[in-house]
Amino acid sequence: MKEHTRSFNGFIHSLIESLPYGIMVLDHDDRIQELNRNFSFIFNINIADVKGKNYKEVIESKFVQVFSNLIEDTKVKGFVMDRQISVPILGGVEITIALSSSALKDKDNNFYGLTIICREMTATRELERMRELDKLKSDFISSVSHDLKTPLTSIIGYTDILMQLAKEKSLSEESDYLKIIMQEAMRFARMIDDIINMAKIESGKLQLKKELVSLKEIVEEVIKIVIVQAEKFKFIVNFDNSIPLLLIDKAQMKRVFLNLVSNAIKYSPQGGEIRIDGYTKGDNVYVDVIDHGIGMSEEALSHMFEKFYRVESDATKGITGTGLGLAITKGIVEAHGGTIVVRSKLGEGSTFSVIFPLTMKKSI
Amino acid sequence: MEEDKNLKSLINFLVVEDDEAVRQLIVRRLRMEDFSGSIYEASDGQEALKIFSEQEIDIIICDWRIPLLNGIDFVNRVRSTYNSSKVAIIMMSAETEMDKIELALNYGVDDYLTKPFTTQDFREKLKKAIEKIKGR
Ligand SMILES: Nc1ncnc2c1ncn2[C@@H]1O[C@H](COP(=O)(O)OP(=O)(O)O)[C@@H](O)[C@H]1O
Ligand SMILES: [Mg+2]
């Protein structure tokens, strides 16, 4: 029997020691019955012979008021949940601690002590703060990007005027340079749009205006846009009739396929065939964008959809971009409830598959 | 053609934009497109409202983000306070969000020009504005 009690107490003691919380147990006269190592770490207490002492003799004076309030409230209400306090630890760093306490009562409802549990909140708080910072960052990026558009309006506008004047005066060299300025300014404008879109996606501000749309039509419109600057390419669009109209944000989805088709063109410097196949398989609609360009290594494949990631190799030398296209593409596809996957082989080409569940054809 | 030239000399513009370079750009563009009527300039919403109340304006080209009275409030005042249904209003902004564009259109803006824009974009919007005031 005695043996039994000892081993049970030992079990409780080791349980209290191994919990990831600070724990202190007091009797009805506020004397310490248990105080685990975590508690002593948090409040900087020397754990040797604290047992039986009043907690006020043990705890640093600046915390005494906090604990006495906690204990009084616990005696009145029976328990206290998550009362937050800041505790300085080494190096001036503060951590946030949530104190919870509950009264111990016997079967006749007589108070005979209480337990106090301290939980470290810093990790949770840190996460909240990081979220706040992230939102601030997105708002900041978005507002700066908007501001950049005003000077860009002047640059593009006045370059346009100069181009017209140069043409009237038949200044061919000047015209050539102005054309380059114009192209680069337009590229800058697209980069700003990419950054704004990325910020919107990251802050969850991308609002989709869904309507029933034909994916095939979207792809055909995209081809119409790119074909004027892609003489070296042959485009083949092949869609099964089984594909239903889907609930999609048309403008955003156009951006998705514009990105994929532009990449297919950009990363196939030799030109060639670009196929876009649409079909249904199982419960999903697939649209594959297939090129026979430079392809990607395993390493590149694992990073492709990360923002700002770009492959740097001999094959990609001289090809410009922001590395945001695919991150945006993925964000838009996922916001629609779809997924995007890629298969590729270095030197042989790439296939990007955009996959939507067939359930997207009806509103839920 | 002759009639066109005649029309172009009769149209009065109000350009509302606080960015000096962009405002000058628009004025310059209009002159290059042979608009020889009056072009009034304002750099904030209050000034714009004052000019609008004193002059005969046919086409307003207005930025969204301007001091004192923002573009939308300015347009709202023009539409609600004056008999301005025959005035064509083009709103300029860097905003590409459809919500915002729809909001502008609901307040009585006829067309929307996204910054930055090319001469071609500008001409297209202008053409539509002229069609509107021609039809009156
Ligand atoms: N069709 C493709 N074939 C080969 N590489 C590609 C293809 N599409 C994308 N990539 C690689 O993935 C990178 C990221 O693509 P993306 O996010 O569109 O950025 P960007 O085109 O602006 O560089 C590219 O820099 C390129 O290295
Ligand atoms: Mg790209």
Side-chain angles (χ1 to χ4, degrees), chain B residues 37-101:
Chain B
S38 302
I39 302 177
Y40 299 96
E41 297 174 44
S43 54
D44 67 63
Q46 296 288 4
E47 194 188 356
L49 213 53
K50 186 164 179 294
I51 295 173
F52 184 79
S53 68
E54 294 168 357
Q55 309 295 338
E56 285 288 320
I57 305 292
D58 302 293
I59 297 177
I60 299 175
I61 302 172
C62 171
D63 187 35
W64 186 311
R65 274 212 299 202
I66 45 173
L68 299 183
L69 198 64
N70 73 43
I72 287 291
D73 291 339
F74 165 67
V75 170
N76 198 16
R77 291 275 277 275
V78 165
R79 288 298 191 215
S80 61
T81 321
Y82 300 90
N83 181 12
S84 64
S85 58
K86 290 180 177 112
V87 176
I89 306 180
I90 301 171
M91 176 76 83
M92 298 180 291
S93 167
E95 192 57 65
T96 50
E97 194 95 14
M98 277 312 287
D99 285 4
K100 297 272 177 67
I101 296 174

Side-chain angles (χ1 to χ4, degrees), chain A residues 182-301:
Chain A
M182 191 59 141
Q183 274 167 9
E184 291 300 290
M186 294 305 242
R187 183 152 81 91
F188 189 39
R190 280 195 301 276
M191 285 163 80
I192 293 173
D193 274 335
D194 274 356
I195 290 169
I196 291 174
N197 276 312
M198 195 68 236
K200 266 186 203 150
I201 288 169
E202 288 195 323
S203 63
K205 272 200 214 141
L206 187 73
Q207 289 164 347
L208 299 177
K209 286 238 151 36
K210 291 189 190 172
E211 49 185 327
L212 280 173
V213 180
S214 149
L215 281 173
K216 187 181 184 191
E217 256 168 50
I218 291 181
V219 167
E220 279 169 348
E221 280 175 33
V222 166
I223 303 289
K224 242 183 243 161
I225 298 172
V226 296
I227 206 160
V228 281
Q229 287 176 56
E231 309 90 358
K232 285 189 295 185
F233 293 88
K234 185 171 173 224
F235 294 96
I236 301 172
V237 178
N238 188 9
F239 273 65
D240 281 358
N241 291 329
S242 62
I243 301 181
L245 299 180
L246 295 180
L247 274 173
I248 277 174
D249 183 317
K250 198 174 172 188
Q252 296 292 348
M253 201 49 63
K254 229 169 141 173
R255 200 190 300 276
V256 164
F257 288 105
L258 193 60
N259 279 340
L260 293 179
V261 175
S262 306
N263 278 349
I265 294 170
K266 235 162 70 165
Y267 300 106
S268 306
Q270 313 293 341
E273 188 182 286
I274 293 172
R275 271 185 83 90
I276 298 131
D277 289 343
Y279 53 95
T280 54
K281 199 167 90 185
D283 295 330
N284 295 308
V285 176
Y286 284 71
V287 181
D288 292 350
V289 179
I290 308 159
D291 68 57
H292 304 285
I294 62 173
M296 281 163 283
S297 66
E298 288 284 321
E299 161 74 10
L301 279 173

